[in-house]
Amino acid sequence: MRVKLRANELWVFDGRKVVARHPRLTRRYTYHDFVDHYLEILLAKPGAFAGASALAQARAEGGFTKVHEAFWAAAKTRAGDREGTRMLIEVLLLHRQLPPEALVAAMEICLRVGSVSTDLVAIEARKAMEGTDADDAELLTEADGASPDAPAGAGAQVISLHARRLPPDPRSALPDMSKYDRLLSPVAGRDSQTQKGHGA
């Protein structure tokens, strides 16, 4: 690994690829943790997430927002502390691929409709990035026994993408194989006669 000191940051390289960035600390014996660097470990041990110093630092710096907190609380209510925390960590892993603004907007949408699906967060974040129209989504408020007049989140589910049918196969049907069967049948007949002769 190669480390480069910049004016305000410390960069860590693996070959030519930057694999980590940290703010440059000016005082001795101080440290700076990123939640992102611990996510794989926390995914296996979600119980350690609540007391992690990296989480406290992310809260202090504003990276772990009120929307993250609300999504975490909703996920724990829906799936229990362990699984709910794991769902939040899966959302945090999406920060490696998607911008934080899009993910926060996606979590807000999911919370509005009462969903804590990490797959839905990813879909809604990509839609936010691409500026996809709301026509591409369908909100179903009658799911799980909720009435159509019930407020959003009362048993609501989201179908984020319309079912898209594949176009018909432009290739023609398979050719008629009967003529090939006829061509091969005399050969097959001779082979069977030869086998009978050897058997006699």
Side-chain angles (χ1 to χ4, degrees):
M1 308 295 282
R2 182 169 57 92
V3 176
K4 182 176 182 180
L5 288 176
R6 298 174 64 86
N8 298 314
E9 286 186 314
L10 179 147
W11 291 9
V12 181
F13 291 84
D14 181 7
R16 293 190 173 192
K17 181 182 178 184
V18 178
V19 293
R21 286 183 178 184
H22 288 277
R24 185 169 179 176
L25 305 179
T26 56
R27 291 182 296 169
R28 297 180 68 186
Y29 308 116
T30 55
Y31 63 91
H32 186 275
D33 289 329
F34 279 121
V35 172
D36 182 74
H37 295 174
Y38 301 93
L39 292 179
E40 283 83 4
I41 297 169
L42 293 169
L43 196 60
K45 297 184 176 181
F49 183 76
S53 60
L55 175 60
Q57 200 146 26
R59 280 176 170 148
E61 294 172 354
F64 196 82
T65 66
K66 291 181 180 179
V67 177
H68 288 88
E69 298 278 9
F71 186 89
W72 188 15
K76 288 193 292 185
T77 300
R78 179 73 60 87
D81 285 357
R82 183 178 179 83
E83 288 305 313
T85 301
R86 185 174 282 125
M87 292 166 79
L88 172 71
I89 293 169
E90 288 175 356
V91 170
L92 294 177
L93 283 165
L94 293 173
H95 280 278
R96 297 178 180 180
Q97 305 167 17
L98 301 167
E101 301 82 13
L103 280 168
V104 169
M107 283 187 284
E108 287 177 330
I109 291 171
C110 291
L111 288 170
R112 272 204 308 272
V113 298
S115 174
V116 289
S117 166
T118 53
D119 291 336
L120 181 58
V121 171
I123 290 169
E124 294 296 335
R126 288 188 176 96
K127 283 166 56 180
M129 287 173 58
E130 296 167 0
T132 307
D133 294 334
D135 294 339
D136 287 343
E138 292 179 359
L139 301 183
L140 300 182
T141 55
E142 297 184 20
D144 298 332
S147 68
D149 299 326
Q157 289 184 348
V158 175
I159 296 177
S160 291
L161 298 176
H162 288 299
R164 288 179 169 82
R165 298 183 182 279
L166 293 174
D169 192 346
R171 296 174 298 181
S172 59
L174 291 173
D176 183 14
M177 300 300 289
S178 59
K179 61 181 179 181
Y180 300 107
D181 293 337
R182 286 195 300 274
L183 290 172
L184 291 173
S185 58
V187 174
R190 283 198 301 272
D191 287 345
S192 62
Q193 288 175 0
T194 304
Q195 287 175 0
K196 286 178 183 177
H198 286 304

